[in-house]
Amino acid sequence: MQRYFSTVAKSYLTSSKILSRRNNIRSISRQCDVFINHRGADTKRNIAGLLHDHFSRIGLHSFLDSKSMKPGDKLFGEIEEGIRSCKVGIAVFSPRYCESYFCLHELALMMENKKKIIPIFVDVRPSQLRVEYNYSCPKKELQRFNWALGEAKYTVGLTFDTVNGDWSELLRKASNAVIDNLIVGGGAGEMPDN
């Protein structure tokens, strides 16, 4: 299995090295293979950070806000460019993920840009994820978030229990899913017009 992974990764990386290194662009987001969408308070110091570091070790360029952005970068501009330029998105769903406007906005952008999404459900079942209605968020945004969350919840993904789960197995499965999707390509569903 490891030999297969190495062979597949090398074939992808050989073809992508030319693209990712052809210009020495300051913005890492422009060289992004994988965008990691997550709720920082829940997963930045564990799953999201581990995924970013693991992808770096195997030669994939991932965008994780805390590791990919530098002082002076425009927050929304860099994140949106990271999403537009990525080939695959990972959505790390945690129990409080849907409380974050920014998480839902990034998820919606990935769906609207027809990115292939690999959901990772961490300590939460897909049926538990729902957008909470609040009056400070415009109704149109809430509809957009519900649509994107619905698309992601009904996408085959990975599940992980942080207490009993095998962390190395999660990294291996996530890597294999990303590499398979980078080789095959593809996009997400389209947002319906309302």
Side-chain angles (χ1 to χ4, degrees), residues 89-118:
I90 289 185
V92 181
F93 293 106
S94 56
R96 297 182 57 208
Y97 175 95
C98 292
E99 293 175 17
S100 170
Y101 172 89
F102 299 104
C103 289
L104 293 167
H105 174 68
E106 290 172 8
L107 180 65
L109 277 175
M110 288 191 293
M111 291 295 183
E112 291 162 355
N113 282 278
K114 297 178 175 48
K115 301 301 177 180
K116 187 73 162 195
I117 304 295
I118 300 166

Side-chain angles (χ1 to χ4, degrees), residues 6 17 46 71 115 163 179:
S6 295
K17 277 183 185 178
N46 52 50
K115 301 301 177 180
V163 175
I179 290 170

Side-chain angles (χ1 to χ4, degrees), residues 153-169:
K153 283 171 42 172
Y154 297 107
T155 300
V156 175
L158 304 171
T159 59
F160 189 71
D161 176 346
T162 57
V163 175
N164 299 312
D166 181 335
W167 290 84
S168 60
E169 182 182 353

Side-chain angles (χ1 to χ4, degrees), residues 36 38 43-58 62 64 66-67 90 92 120 160 162 166-172 174-175:
I36 302 172
H38 69 292
T43 62
K44 188 178 303 291
R45 289 188 176 93
N46 52 50
I47 292 178
L50 286 170
L51 286 168
H52 178 273
D53 292 345
H54 180 71
F55 292 145
S56 295
R57 277 194 304 280
I58 64 171
S62 61
L64 181 65
S66 63
K67 302 221 180 199
I90 289 185
V92 181
I120 301 177
F160 189 71
T162 57
D166 181 335
W167 290 84
S168 60
E169 182 182 353
L170 172 67
L171 294 177
R172 182 183 52 76
S175 299

